[in-house]
Amino acid sequence: MVSPDRLNAETIIAKKRDGGELSEKEIRYFIENFTQGRIPDYQASAWCMAIFQRGMSQQETIALTRAMAESGETIDLSDTLDYVVDKHSSGGVGDKTTLVVLPLVAAMGVPVAKMSGRGLAYTGGTLDKLESIRGFNVHLSPEQFKTRAAEYGIVLAGQTHELAPADGMLYALRDVTGTVSSKPLIASSIMSKKIAAGADGIVLDVKTGSGAFMRTIDDAVDLARLMVQIGEGTGKDVTAIISDMNQPLGHAVGNALEVREAVETMQGSGPADFVEHCVMIAGQMVRLAGKSYELDLSDIDTELRTRLTNGDALAMFRRMVEAQGGDLRQLDDLNLLPQAPVRRELKAPHAGYIREVDARGVGLATLDLGAGRRKKGERIDHAVGVIVHQKVGDHVDAGDPLFTIHARKEEHASQVAIDLATCIEWADRPGLPLFYDVISTR
Ligand code: URA
């Protein structure tokens, strides 16, 4: 480790605040000392804010990723498995893709080993969702992670003190300090976990739109390119998909509600947009592992759709839940998953077409209900959330349901109902308009 006499946190923060380029040595110093508890949260938060404001060069981002990946153990799966794939989303609303895609890919005969995160800002996290299942253990040691991957062909865990701990610690700070949507911080967060977890192939689901951290397609493409470059530099096969997050994915937003929708999808009754999304992400994972030769997945499309709904994917999901201590009775009877005591339906005030369902607004409403965190380490409520009944382009009649709010208390439902009403934009015809305005001199 670099001697603390020569470097210190304050000067590194100030250098970044003033727009300077940090050396690899400075970045390593900061990450190592933060991980060991020698740099406190308030300095790490200030550093994140400086990076958020000033950005990082590609070189700095690669150095940060490496330092975070090496802040704990890195797992080598190559002695037990030939080719392991992983996926990661840049964060969305209603994004329960991992819950379906991991077992689907495993059901296609490709081993999957994934390190996931918790909710971040107004987006949900896979670990929080899975913890809706009583007993499900996301805290696996590197040894357990490896053994589960080899024995079951499927494993999903969170950061521990051993695996990419720097990301776990920074992630929890970024979640509550307004420093999430920064390309270098997202890229290093995602790729450090991927490198530490040892997969050979990685599919990145980079979201763009109102509910994504990258609002524009250009920003999403930049983030995707950055992560692909990091992957290349570390010997990983990486495919990035830029996907829409202008409306929530599927219908369910909230931890247990999303587990329910994921299981229903594997039982054959998933929302159409979510099914398409899962088939695409799973297909690209399987393609990386050499089971498909077509970029459009036409050679494996039928098999993917069959395994998604014929019980194969669900059997794999059950296998993972059982192996990680989860209560299978909650999957056999979905009503045993946590349920919120208050349900409030919001109805359409008039007929029309849905032009927009603001994904960010729905995410924030869900956060207000208690499904995510406002403070570091806060307990979350697995039962609460929102069901979004309509998708963009749908026609609704007056009185049709728009949202069902699942709340802990009546007053929470009342507040969130006001906010959700503003999340819908109406149109008098289906789909998005081609033109918004004409501005002319005559
Ligand atoms: N997912 C992550 O793991 N990290 C981020 O910063 C954003 C999404």
Side-chain angles (χ1 to χ4, degrees):
M1 185 187 307
V2 181
S3 157
D5 304 338
R6 281 186 288 126
L7 292 172
N8 71 72
E10 194 192 336
T11 49
I12 295 172
I13 297 166
K15 184 172 176 188
K16 185 40 74 185
R17 178 201 62 202
D18 296 339
E21 176 154 4
L22 300 178
S23 66
E24 183 168 358
K25 205 159 140 183
E26 288 166 325
I27 291 171
R28 275 199 180 270
Y29 170 86
F30 204 98
I31 289 297
E32 283 177 11
N33 284 283
F34 172 57
T35 313
Q36 314 273 325
R38 285 190 287 269
I39 291 179
D41 280 2
Y42 51 83
Q43 284 186 311
S45 302
W47 192 55
C48 286
M49 186 55 85
I51 295 171
F52 183 95
Q53 296 289 358
R54 292 297 192 165
M56 272 186 153
S57 67
Q58 189 178 322
Q59 246 175 327
E60 284 177 295
T61 310
I62 292 172
L64 178 58
T65 309
R66 287 225 164 94
M68 282 165 61
E70 289 161 19
S71 63
E73 286 179 40
T74 50
I75 297 177
D76 180 5
L77 296 164
S78 63
D79 52 347
T80 37
L81 289 160
D82 275 351
Y83 194 96
V84 178
V85 289
D86 190 354
K87 59 89 51 178
H88 208 88
S89 156
S90 63
V93 177
D95 185 5
K96 71 270 325 164
T97 309
T98 294
L99 304 184
V100 171
V101 148
L102 238 58
L104 175 56
V105 171
M108 295 282 289
V110 176
V112 283
K114 170 159 170 59
M115 200 192 294
S116 280
R118 297 200 174 273
L120 201 50
Y122 55 85
T123 67
T126 303
L127 301 182
D128 294 331
K129 290 170 204 186
L130 280 168
E131 283 177 347
S132 309
I133 304 170
R134 205 178 302 120
F136 191 94
N137 177 23
V138 299
H139 306 286
L140 302 183
S141 68
E143 210 36 57
Q144 288 170 319
F145 186 84
K146 209 170 153 164
T147 322
R148 297 283 198 302
E151 265 177 41
Y152 299 95
I154 180 166
V155 64
L156 189 152
Q159 287 98 358
T160 57
H161 293 302
E162 290 121 336
L163 290 176
D167 176 55
M169 292 165 73
L170 277 186
Y171 196 92
L173 290 184
R174 288 170 56 220
D175 183 26
V176 292
T177 55
T179 51
V180 173
S181 42
S182 142
K183 286 175 212 161
L185 291 177
I186 295 177
S188 55
S189 162
I190 292 180
M191 293 307 290
S192 63
K193 282 192 280 278
K194 303 298 96 181
I195 294 165
D200 305 286
I202 301 159
V203 171
L204 299 169
D205 180 7
V206 183
K207 308 228 170 266
T208 180
S210 72
F213 298 126
M214 298 294 110
R215 296 288 159 80
T216 66
I217 296 179
D218 284 352
D219 279 339
V221 169
D222 282 351
L223 175 63
R225 289 217 170 103
L226 184 57
M227 291 195 284
V228 170
Q229 277 154 1
I230 296 172
E232 256 168 13
T234 48
K236 306 281 181 194
D237 300 326
V238 184
T239 299
I241 294 160
I242 314 291
S243 67
D244 182 70
M245 186 33 71
N246 280 300
Q247 60 181 332
L249 189 57
H251 296 295
V253 185
N255 300 293
L257 293 172
E258 293 189 42
V259 170
R260 184 183 190 109
E261 187 165 82
V263 172
E264 286 169 351
T265 300
M266 291 182 275
Q267 290 169 337
S269 54
D273 65 328
F274 182 52
V275 168
E276 289 313 307
H277 189 75
C278 290
V279 167
M280 174 67 159
I281 303 289
Q284 294 299 338
M285 291 169 78
V286 168
R287 195 179 67 82
L288 281 185
K291 298 225 168 195
S292 161
Y293 300 98
E294 305 296 336
L295 197 57
D296 68 1
L297 309 172
S298 48
D299 52 348
I300 50 160
D301 186 78
T302 310
E303 188 180 354
L304 282 167
R305 286 174 200 276
T306 305
R307 289 192 189 277
L308 175 60
T309 53
N310 72 356
D312 287 0
L314 189 55
M316 271 294 172
F317 185 67
R318 289 174 61 87
R319 184 188 280 198
M320 177 181 80
V321 169
E322 190 173 27
Q324 296 189 219
D327 186 348
L328 288 178
R329 285 170 304 178
Q330 289 178 297
L331 303 186
D332 297 334
D333 178 358
L334 294 171
N335 292 325
L336 295 177
L337 285 167
Q339 306 241 14
V342 176
R343 303 232 177 136
R344 177 91 55 93
E345 198 167 83
L346 243 76
K347 294 183 190 304
H350 52 74
Y353 289 96
I354 305 289
R355 180 159 72 194
E356 190 185 326
V357 184
D358 175 21
R360 184 167 183 272
V362 174
L364 286 169
T366 312
L367 189 60
D368 285 342
L369 288 168
R373 297 174 186 80
R374 295 267 186 206
K375 291 199 192 102
K376 188 182 152 192
E378 204 167 48
R379 271 175 75 92
I380 60 165
D381 190 336
H382 290 101
V384 299
V386 173
I387 299 291
V388 182
H389 293 285
Q390 312 295 341
K391 306 298 291 186
V392 171
D394 284 357
H395 179 266
V396 296
D397 288 319
D400 281 353
L402 294 177
F403 299 105
T404 304
I405 302 166
H406 292 238
R408 186 59 51 194
K409 295 195 173 143
E410 289 288 350
E411 60 263 36
H412 298 169
S414 303
Q415 181 52 50
V416 160
I418 297 168
D419 300 336
L420 283 176
T422 65
C423 290
I424 299 276
E425 291 270 339
W426 296 90
D428 52 13
R429 58 202 172 91
L432 291 169
L434 282 178
F435 306 104
Y436 289 98
D437 209 350
V438 177
I439 300 165
S440 168
T441 53
R442 66 186 183 92

